Amino acid sequence: MLTESIARRYAKALFDAALSDKKLEVVDSELKGFIHTLDEDPRSEAIWNSSQMPNENKKQFLEKSFPGLSRLLFNFLFVLIDKHREKILPKVKEEFEGYLLLHNNQVHVEVRAAVPVPPAIQSELKENLSQKLGKRVELLMSQDPSLLGGMVIQIGDRIIDSSLRTKLQGLHEELLSKA
């Protein structure tokens, strides 16, 4: 819980700096790319997470290995290094994305369905959710054959479960209670 609170403060500081420099999308893209590289390159990840490497060497490695990053993101990463908070970076990215969504009046909606959902139904779902939520909706579609049919929609911590599996389970419980 403490890590989340710390990550949220760092993300807010990065967000505010990027907003004032009019570089929200740039910083978002660079942050995602940097974390993706760490995930894909064990050497870079080991250096980033190393507590043995001196801070100055780590900073020099970043400048040589990631020459395309903006000065704003470099400075932010250097602060994380100086404060020994490298390990919170994935959570910082998550919190930063939340601030960006809020700023853009957007919301991510996760939709799990038993079968692929046709584009026409996705568009209709997106439009209906946008009207109900008063925000631009970005659907994150995934397939889950265990649902049998229907779909499960998650908006933040709210879940709308209209899956066939859940309906059958409810019917089963209702029949057992009457027996």
Side-chain angles (χ1 to χ4, degrees):
M1 192 67 149
L2 181 62
T3 301
E4 282 184 20
S5 175
I6 293 168
R8 191 172 301 115
R9 284 198 310 262
Y10 277 90
K12 179 68 170 143
L14 178 61
F15 179 84
D16 289 345
L19 180 61
S20 71
D21 283 1
K22 295 179 176 41
K23 292 185 177 182
L24 282 175
E25 283 73 26
V26 170
V27 170
D28 182 47
S29 176
E30 289 179 348
L31 189 57
K32 286 176 183 173
F34 180 73
I35 290 176
H36 177 74
T37 301
L38 293 181
D39 290 342
E40 297 296 315
D41 181 15
R43 179 177 172 264
S44 293
E45 181 183 33
I47 291 170
W48 174 252
N49 289 317
S50 173
S51 58
Q52 305 301 317
M53 180 178 275
N55 289 353
E56 288 310 311
N57 292 3
K58 200 181 277 194
K59 291 175 185 179
Q60 288 172 0
F61 169 78
L62 289 181
E63 286 184 322
K64 286 180 185 173
S65 299
F66 300 93
L69 293 181
S70 64
R71 183 52 35 200
L72 177 63
L73 189 58
F74 270 129
N75 290 340
F76 178 76
L77 296 174
F78 292 171
V79 168
L80 289 180
I81 291 168
D82 289 338
K83 300 290 185 180
H84 306 288
R85 301 229 188 257
E86 296 93 335
K87 290 188 183 347
I88 70 166
L89 187 62
K91 187 66 181 162
V92 169
K93 178 184 87 62
E94 186 179 311
E95 294 291 336
F96 182 89
E97 289 174 346
Y99 286 120
L100 189 58
L101 286 172
L102 189 62
H103 175 75
N104 291 328
N105 197 33
Q106 287 181 292
V107 66
H108 282 157
V109 176
E110 295 178 36
V111 179
R112 290 185 296 129
V115 295
V117 178
I121 293 176
Q122 286 183 35
S123 293
E124 186 178 333
L125 178 62
K126 187 175 181 175
E127 186 177 315
N128 288 339
L129 287 170
S130 290
Q131 288 175 354
K132 287 188 188 318
L133 299 172
K135 296 182 180 219
R136 289 189 325 208
V137 170
E138 180 72 32
L139 295 179
L140 305 172
M141 304 296 296
S142 65
Q143 220 174 314
D144 184 355
S146 73
L147 297 176
L148 304 176
M151 60 180 65
V152 176
I153 300 170
Q154 183 169 353
I155 307 163
D157 58 356
R158 202 167 53 184
I159 296 176
I160 303 165
D161 190 343
S162 65
S163 67
L164 184 56
R165 180 179 67 184
T166 300
K167 289 179 181 179
L168 288 173
Q169 187 176 10
L171 182 60
H172 175 74
E173 289 170 8
E174 184 180 330
L175 289 172
L176 287 177
S177 69
K178 290 183 180 179

